[in-house]
Amino acid sequence: MEPETQPETQPEAEPGTPVAVHPSEDPDSIFEYAPDADELDEASESPGLAQLLREGAGVSGETISEAEKIAKQTPGRTLVDILLERGADEDAVQAAVAKHAGLPFERIDLEAGLDGGFDGRLLQRLTPEFCKLNGVMPLRTEGSRVVVGSVKPDNVFILDEVKSRLGVPSIKLVIVTWFDIRGALEIIGEDSTEDSTADLSSILEDVDESDVAVAEIGADDAVDLEQQAGESPVIRYVNYIIQTAIKEGASDIHVEPAEKKLKVRFRIDGVLFEMLNPPASMSAAITSRLKIMANLDISERRIPQDGRIRCTVQGRKLDLRVSTLPNGHGEKTVMRILDTRSINVQLEDLGFDPSTLEIWSNQIKSPHGILLVTGPTGSGKTTTLYSSLRQLDKNKLNISTVEDPVEYHLDGITQTQMHEKIGMTFGKALKALLRQDPDVIMLGEIRDMETAHTAVQAALTGHLVLSTLHTNDAPSSITRLVNIGLEPFLVGAAVNAVLAQRLVRRLCPHCKTHEPPSEEMGEYLQMQGIDAETVWTPQGCDRCRNTGYAGRVGIYEMLAVDDQVRDIIARNPNVAEFRKLCVDRGMVTLRGDGLRKVKQGLTTIQEIFRVTEAAI
């Protein structure tokens, strides 16, 4: 906004300098105010907005860091916008913004309404649509100058437009809240719904679902995201989401439409982080683009769909497993990133205790029997099984797998996809594999009587069977097989070992620090034989997204079945009794192994409590 000509007694502002009315000026002055050099120097030494938000609005440093990162990666979004969306107190945030800008902060008196709260006549001249779109509200007239409330201090061109529309020589700017502006608009009968498309960036302003117009992708074709960048706004944005997820080391991408906004969250080290906020108007277009890439039906929005995207990012070939689910505001899309690099891990690098590693390494060399890996989804079971298969001699052994789905392809191993809809279940596939002269069989999961019975028969007839179960710990896997319908003596005879596991976040090596724990925590650590003064705590730095954690490490609970344990299993004990017997015989629980990792400085006690239950 160009400054107006000043009287000779006032310093003249340089051309093009954004100006605002100084709060100390005479309210009857018709001239705008341009700060001199001394005041600019003084303002430059004032606390930064982030510091003011921490002190005045009570926003944590980690929350501000996350919001700043989202703002940088989302065109058109500001730090304040992100903080307000995440539930920060708008009054305190706007007061901090006003203090940072050197402007007054006011609350609109909604109870007074048109009788002193705001100026209805001037509002009609601006129009409610203009005020809603730009976040401004005319409050009152002071002499020849109009006091205008705005949600942003840097709307220089909008203020120039306000002055032009009102036909006044100058205006005085104060900072207000969106809540008050919407309340004022409701008083005059204007719908207060925010226009979520008002703040689109130039790169996305022409987004439309019709932009998603690409040739159908064959099942064996790969999509090179970098070559397609720049073809259309939607394609560019979807490519940007995937590239950012790979760069951040995410394992999953969640695209979640809501009523007034669209969230993109990444699962990094097992924890979801909100990373991007595209305009809500892009929801259908982004979903359609992802469906086209995954060869799904874009016209079907009523039922869930599953597909797969093969793509190349920065020279790396990746697979993305896509799942769509209808919800009240469109379709939620979740993509699991399948990166071969993440699965090519040696057993030695998974975090096994030396004794546990030795036992498990000997077990996978057994000529026959069942080895079970248990844990919830996302606990690293597939990585452990694949790493175990790599330890075997593929040239001398016939190794086959049945998976749902086949996520990673292994050289020298026959991998079979399960198709339950056409009757290709785990049980039937396993029976077919037994006629293929196998030595080692890996089952994706034992989930029913047919599969469990066939796996036991395979183990008892000279085959090594590796599989997974969804149980909370190792002892409960034995009772789960009995509950499925197997005889206890068969379970004891067939099962060689059960490995329960979880993944915990690893402390960032660049910023971890020592801090004295609370008195209660210190007593607990002392009871566990851990010196509280040597325990590391997360600090947070740029390399770990200010979380204090970088990467993950496994914690394990190994139950090796020997003759004595087989006798115990044959008596069919209940799960609580059997777990106690296993612990008495020296089995290290998940929490016990986790405490070892705490003692080694790999993770924190809070992470162990997050993923494990208390031991007996």
Side-chain angles (χ1 to χ4, degrees):
M1 182 171 61
E2 296 292 337
E4 296 185 353
T5 304
Q6 305 289 331
E8 295 182 358
T9 57
Q10 303 231 2
E12 184 176 355
E14 296 182 5
T17 303
V19 292
V21 176
H22 194 282
S24 63
E25 287 294 288
D26 180 5
D28 293 326
S29 172
I30 62 172
F31 301 106
E32 293 181 335
Y33 173 83
D36 58 28
D38 292 337
E39 288 177 312
L40 287 174
D41 290 341
E42 182 180 349
S44 65
E45 296 175 359
S46 61
L49 178 58
Q51 180 181 345
L52 291 171
L53 288 169
R54 282 194 297 268
E55 297 173 353
V59 183
S60 68
E62 181 178 344
T63 301
I64 291 175
S65 298
E66 291 178 6
E68 286 176 336
K69 192 162 191 178
I70 295 174
K72 290 179 182 178
Q73 295 177 342
T74 309
R77 311 298 291 165
T78 66
L79 170 64
V80 172
D81 294 334
I82 304 300
L83 290 176
L84 293 179
E85 285 181 0
R86 304 188 81 170
D89 181 18
E90 188 181 13
D91 284 0
V93 169
Q94 289 296 85
V97 170
K99 186 175 181 180
H100 180 255
L103 296 170
F105 171 69
E106 288 189 14
R107 293 300 307 269
I108 300 176
D109 189 351
L110 298 179
E111 292 186 2
L114 295 171
D115 298 326
F118 56 94
D119 194 316
R121 180 180 57 83
L122 295 177
L123 174 58
Q124 293 302 321
R125 290 170 64 180
L126 283 178
T127 74
E129 293 80 8
F130 177 86
C131 293
K132 181 176 68 173
L133 188 65
N134 298 290
V136 295
M137 179 62 59
L139 302 181
R140 59 187 175 273
T141 300
E142 295 180 351
S144 61
R145 185 170 55 186
V146 174
V147 179
V148 175
S150 174
V151 295
K152 295 182 180 180
D154 53 357
N155 276 354
V156 177
F157 299 105
I158 297 300
L159 295 178
D160 197 34
E161 176 71 12
V162 169
K163 188 172 67 171
S164 175
R165 287 183 175 228
L166 296 179
V168 294
S170 67
I171 58 176
K172 175 182 177 180
L173 177 65
V174 299
I175 301 299
V176 295
T177 66
W178 263 116
F179 177 85
D180 287 349
I181 290 180
R182 290 194 295 267
L185 293 174
E186 285 181 350
I187 290 175
I188 64 168
E190 173 65 23
D191 183 10
S192 64
T193 302
E194 279 192 69
D195 187 352
S196 60
T197 63
D199 204 13
L200 296 182
S201 66
S202 59
I203 192 174
L204 300 175
E205 62 187 359
D206 57 340
V207 166
D208 189 83
E209 191 168 351
S210 61
D211 290 326
V212 186
V214 296
E216 184 176 351
I217 300 169
D220 295 327
D221 294 333
V223 181
D224 192 329
L225 296 176
E226 293 176 342
Q227 289 183 0
Q228 288 189 345
E231 291 186 10
S232 81
V234 173
I235 293 176
R236 290 199 303 271
Y237 203 94
V238 169
N239 293 349
Y240 175 68
I241 290 173
I242 297 174
Q243 288 170 334
T244 304
I246 301 302
K247 179 182 176 183
E248 294 289 339
S251 61
D252 299 85
I253 303 171
H254 292 235
V255 182
E256 304 171 340
E259 183 178 0
K260 298 179 181 178
K261 65 178 181 177
L262 178 62
K263 290 195 302 184
V264 177
R265 298 196 290 172
F266 295 164
R267 187 177 295 279
I268 303 173
D269 294 337
V271 179
L272 281 170
F273 293 89
E274 185 177 340
M275 302 296 290
L276 303 169
N277 290 123
S281 59
M282 292 185 65
S283 176
I286 289 177
T287 301
S288 296
R289 172 59 187 164
L290 291 171
K291 283 185 172 182
I292 288 173
M293 296 174 70
N295 288 316
L296 301 179
D297 185 358
I298 64 172
S299 64
E300 181 55 76
R301 302 179 180 179
R302 300 166 297 172
I303 60 175
Q305 297 187 64
D306 296 304
R308 198 180 187 99
I309 298 173
R310 298 185 62 196
C311 58
T312 303
V313 182
Q314 299 173 351
R316 296 163 57 185
K317 290 185 177 180
L318 303 172
D319 280 359
L320 280 71
R321 196 175 69 197
V322 182
S323 172
T324 66
L325 180 70
N327 66 9
H329 305 289
E331 292 175 278
K332 177 180 177 179
T333 305
V334 176
M335 291 175 281
R336 167 66 58 86
I337 300 174
L338 307 177
D339 186 0
T340 307
R341 291 186 185 181
S342 65
I343 208 72
N344 288 331
V345 184
Q346 298 297 320
L347 277 176
E348 295 80 4
D349 301 326
L350 293 178
F352 281 102
D353 184 80
S355 60
T356 305
L357 177 61
E358 183 179 359
I359 296 172
W360 183 253
S361 298
N362 291 331
Q363 290 289 348
I364 61 179
K365 296 175 184 176
S366 302
H368 55 79
I370 295 178
L371 302 180
L372 294 174
V373 180
T374 77
T377 301
S379 60
K381 300 187 299 295
T382 302
T383 301
T384 299
L385 287 175
Y386 279 13
S387 299
S388 301
L389 291 179
R390 284 198 192 87
Q391 302 291 100
L392 304 175
D393 189 342
K394 304 178 187 64
N395 295 322
K396 295 182 180 180
L397 298 173
N398 178 15
I399 306 174
S400 302
T401 73
V402 183
E403 303 171 62
D404 179 31
V406 177
E407 295 184 348
Y408 302 94
H409 297 279
L410 301 175
D411 293 334
I413 295 176
T414 302
Q415 295 175 270
T416 303
Q417 172 77 49
M418 192 203 75
H419 293 284
E420 192 167 358
K421 291 182 179 179
I422 61 174
M424 183 65 164
T425 62
F426 279 123
K428 289 188 177 180
L430 180 55
K431 289 179 179 178
L433 282 182
L434 290 176
R435 295 189 287 270
Q436 294 278 316
D437 186 30
D439 296 299
V440 180
I441 299 172
M442 190 192 89
L443 285 175
E445 183 184 353
I446 295 177
R447 59 175 68 160
D448 53 39
M449 174 61 181
E450 180 187 12
T451 307
H453 187 267
T454 308
V456 167
Q457 294 301 320
L460 295 176
T461 54
H463 305 87
L464 181 64
V465 180
L466 287 78
S467 187
T468 68
L469 273 178
H470 288 288
T471 57
N472 291 328
D473 55 17
S476 60
S477 300
I478 301 297
T479 56
R480 173 67 59 82
L481 292 176
V482 174
N483 293 336
I484 285 177
L486 294 177
E487 293 293 338
F489 71 90
L490 285 177
V491 175
V495 177
N496 288 354
V498 183
L499 179 71
Q501 69 178 72
R502 299 288 190 277
L503 291 177
V504 295
R505 291 185 291 175
R506 188 190 295 263
L507 278 167
C508 175
H510 303 287
C511 64
K512 64 180 182 179
T513 184
H514 289 293
E515 285 186 8
S518 64
E519 183 178 351
E520 183 180 355
M521 181 60 68
E523 292 179 359
Y524 178 82
L525 293 173
Q526 189 174 6
M527 291 173 56
Q528 304 300 321
I530 301 175
D531 184 1
E533 295 183 359
T534 64
V535 173
W536 295 89
T537 57
Q539 181 73 18
C541 64
D542 293 338
R543 300 189 186 187
C544 61
R545 298 172 297 279
N546 288 296
T547 63
Y549 299 96
R552 288 188 288 179
V553 64
I555 58 175
Y556 302 92
E557 177 178 291
M558 168 68 75
L559 171 61
V561 181
D562 56 17
D563 290 340
Q564 292 185 0
V565 175
R566 296 184 203 279
D567 291 339
I568 295 173
I569 295 173
R571 298 199 298 266
N572 192 20
N574 62 56
V575 64
E577 178 187 355
F578 185 53
R579 184 185 296 114
K580 187 175 187 307
L581 288 170
C582 292
V583 172
D584 292 342
R585 287 176 49 81
M587 183 188 76
V588 178
T589 64
L590 282 167
R591 177 161 290 188
D593 190 48
L595 292 173
R596 289 177 178 175
K597 303 295 193 296
V598 173
K599 198 170 184 178
Q600 296 167 10
L602 296 177
T603 187
T604 64
I605 191 70
Q606 290 79 11
E607 276 293 290
I608 303 303
F609 287 163
R610 182 175 67 89
V611 301
T612 65
E613 296 177 337
I616 295 174

